[in-house]
Amino acid sequence: MAQVIVIGAGLGGLPTAYELRHWLKGGHQITLVSDRPQFTFIPGLIQVALGKIPLEHVQLDVASLCKRHGLGWVDSAVVRVDPDQQTVQLANDQVLSYDYLVIASGPSLAFDEIPGLGPHGGYTQSVCNPAHALIAREAWEAFLENPTDLVVGAAPKTGCLGPGYEFALLADEELRKRGLRDRVTITYITPEPYAGYLGLPDLYMARELTEGVLEEQGVQVVTDAAIARVLPDRVELSDGRQFPFGYAMILPAFRGAEYVQASGLGNDRGFIPILPTQRHRDHERIYALGVSVHLEQPYHTPVPIGLPKSGQMTEAMGAAVAYNIAVDLGALPSPHQIPTLEALCFAEFGQTGIAYIAAPILPDPANGQRRYSYATRGAWVNWAKAAFERYFLLKMQWGIGLPWFELWGLKLLFGLSLLRPVTQSVRPNLGPNLHAPHHT
């Protein structure tokens, strides 16, 4: 029987573990490993930071979920992976053996690439993890006592740009509700060539709709901006322009997890090279998904921007990983599956919202085109996002990964598909005969 270890219990790891449990029967053991005992719905952290909801509303206890749904659970950070011995060394001195390893631990945050960036030793806030969201909320409450200038934006190489827009416009809404908006100048600083670029050119109406809502709300936008450093009261760009602030939330660039870099499993930024099936390029028994993987950015801009990796893309990658491991173990028939990387992103902008759709994210290499891509605006986007958040948390409570009705709904409503079979084998099928050494 196989030992499958999933590193990470977040938006990628927990659903993937559920999918593995769904496909693998008959004694196969799936174990989650993470140093974060709470599952957090990360998109909800913007509202936590702005004091709109408590953190507990977007969290679930991982240990109880694992116990309820037949998963192993180890609460510890990972120090190193040995792909030759097929072991995972933990910070609590345990060494776990695996037959298959799934890396879904997300990124490390590259605050150190810009002096003064980040909440630890820097002067800006972040909404990238629960601890940062709580620090940001405390700073926001202090800011409301004496509101001045608000700066929101993203560092060069940032790939996940949508939360910055959401933070700026939800902050605008909160300030208006409190009668403070006329005292605050909001500036949005972005490496994008235009607002709504999001790392992807040619999304129909994305620029017009995004620029429109920012203009309506009086948000000043600075594009092609490379933040050089942050001082206690201002952001300085590489061209010398400076923007004062009383509060700043700047999204950092990402790198791969530290243990990935320490184990030699990633590229120069620690992102994991993968085959289309999500298998590691060099290691048969390792799969990876989500922000941890390397996806080549085919589009070049004056200030570099990462390729976006949405939550929906992460779900699709995780579903492919689980299916493919089940194929490897003989629990499902061939062929392997690959994620289509078709993405839908709901962005809440106060009284309105914008849905950004790219099918797929990466263009067809044969013709450089996508099937379609567009943006659409309306209050319905906010309702849809709130409904999806509630659905996703319920899904995690129920122990469901990617059910058929979710796939059906995405296809019916948005024309999106998440998985497709490979037409030709891109890796050998190892089959159910396992040869991993066992360690204690």
Side-chain angles (χ1 to χ4, degrees):
M1 296 296 102
Q3 296 287 336
V4 183
I5 293 177
V6 180
I7 303 176
L11 290 172
L14 187 58
T16 302
Y18 287 156
E19 282 288 288
L20 285 162
R21 181 74 289 160
H22 172 70
W23 294 122
L24 297 179
K25 311 295 184 183
H28 297 300
Q29 177 64 44
I30 298 99
T31 301
L32 272 176
V33 177
S34 175
D35 60 348
R36 295 184 179 177
Q38 298 293 321
F39 168 85
T40 303
F41 187 75
I42 296 294
L45 292 181
I46 297 169
Q47 297 208 34
V48 173
L50 292 170
K52 296 168 71 70
I53 60 173
L55 178 60
E56 294 76 19
H57 280 199
V58 293
Q59 288 193 317
L60 300 169
D61 180 69
V62 178
S64 61
L65 293 176
C66 289
K67 183 177 180 180
R68 186 185 314 160
H69 300 297
L71 303 173
W73 164 240
V74 180
D75 183 358
S76 178
V78 174
V79 174
R80 187 180 294 271
V81 172
D82 186 332
D84 296 322
Q85 294 298 311
Q86 294 181 203
T87 59
V88 178
Q89 180 182 344
L90 305 182
N92 65 5
D93 295 328
Q94 281 185 274
V95 176
L96 305 179
S97 296
Y98 65 84
D99 296 303
Y100 285 92
L101 178 66
V102 179
I103 298 176
S105 47
S108 61
L109 307 176
F111 292 119
D112 59 296
E113 293 183 346
I114 297 176
L117 191 68
H120 301 297
Y123 310 106
T124 65
Q125 304 304 323
S126 160
V127 291
C128 295
N129 64 44
H132 289 173
L134 293 177
I135 296 170
R137 184 175 69 186
E138 184 177 352
W140 175 253
E141 291 169 353
F143 174 74
L144 294 176
E145 296 296 321
N146 183 29
T148 53
D149 298 305
L150 173 62
V151 171
V152 182
K157 299 180 183 177
T158 300
C160 187
L161 293 155
Y165 289 109
E166 288 192 292
F167 191 96
L169 290 163
L170 288 173
D172 166 82
E173 181 188 41
E174 282 297 299
L175 291 167
R176 292 180 189 277
K177 286 180 179 179
R178 296 170 181 266
L180 301 173
R181 183 62 177 88
D182 59 341
R183 296 169 56 182
V184 178
T185 298
I186 303 180
T187 303
Y188 192 81
I189 298 174
T190 178
E192 301 161 280
Y194 56 80
Y197 181 85
L198 300 174
L200 301 172
D202 304 323
L203 265 67
Y204 177 69
M205 292 301 293
R207 179 173 187 172
E208 293 84 350
L209 294 177
T210 307
E211 290 182 344
V213 71
L214 291 166
E215 183 178 356
E216 289 168 16
Q217 303 309 115
V219 177
Q220 175 188 355
V221 180
V222 182
T223 58
D224 285 323
I227 297 173
R229 63 173 180 165
V230 182
L231 299 172
D233 59 352
R234 62 190 184 276
V235 173
E236 185 174 301
L237 304 186
S238 59
D239 61 11
R241 285 180 291 172
Q242 298 184 10
F243 298 88
F245 66 81
Y247 187 103
M249 198 292 290
I250 305 294
L251 298 169
F254 291 165
R255 285 194 295 258
E258 291 182 5
Y259 75 86
V260 172
Q261 296 171 303
S263 306
L265 296 174
N267 60 17
D268 58 349
R269 288 191 67 83
F271 294 117
I272 299 168
I274 56 170
L275 297 177
T277 55
Q278 303 298 129
R279 184 183 68 82
H280 194 288
R281 186 184 60 197
D282 302 318
H283 300 289
E284 293 282 352
R285 299 298 181 117
I286 298 177
Y287 285 82
L289 62 117
V291 181
S292 65
V293 305
H294 171 71
L295 294 178
E296 190 69 35
Q297 170 58 284
Y299 310 112
H300 301 288
T301 52
V303 181
I305 301 168
L307 191 74
K309 301 167 188 171
S310 71
Q312 182 192 321
M313 290 168 63
T314 295
E315 269 202 283
M317 291 181 196
V321 166
Y323 191 98
N324 292 339
I325 290 176
V327 171
D328 292 344
L329 291 170
L332 287 173
S334 294
H336 291 86
Q337 300 284 313
I338 63 175
T340 62
L341 302 184
E342 297 182 355
L344 165 65
C345 176
F346 292 127
E348 183 179 2
F349 293 159
Q351 297 302 307
T352 189
I354 298 178
Y356 300 93
I357 293 132
I361 286 283
L362 294 171
D364 187 329
N367 57 29
Q369 302 295 315
R370 304 186 189 95
R371 287 199 299 119
Y372 59 85
S373 60
Y374 64 94
T376 181
R377 176 180 170 180
W380 69 270
V381 175
N382 296 347
W383 307 333
K385 182 173 182 177
F388 180 77
E389 177 180 316
R390 180 59 179 157
Y391 160 74
F392 198 94
L393 287 168
L394 285 173
K395 190 168 69 161
M396 295 303 96
Q397 288 178 314
W398 295 336
I400 301 172
L402 188 60
W404 66 268
F405 51 82
E406 184 176 335
L407 295 170
W408 179 81
L410 287 168
K411 186 71 173 179
L412 179 67
L413 296 174
F414 301 101
L416 299 177
S417 60
L418 298 190
L419 299 172
R420 66 179 177 85
V422 295
T423 55
Q424 179 178 338
S425 179
V426 295
R427 58 153 295 170
N429 185 347
L430 298 180
N433 297 317
L434 307 175
H435 57 74
H438 293 283
H439 301 261
T440 58

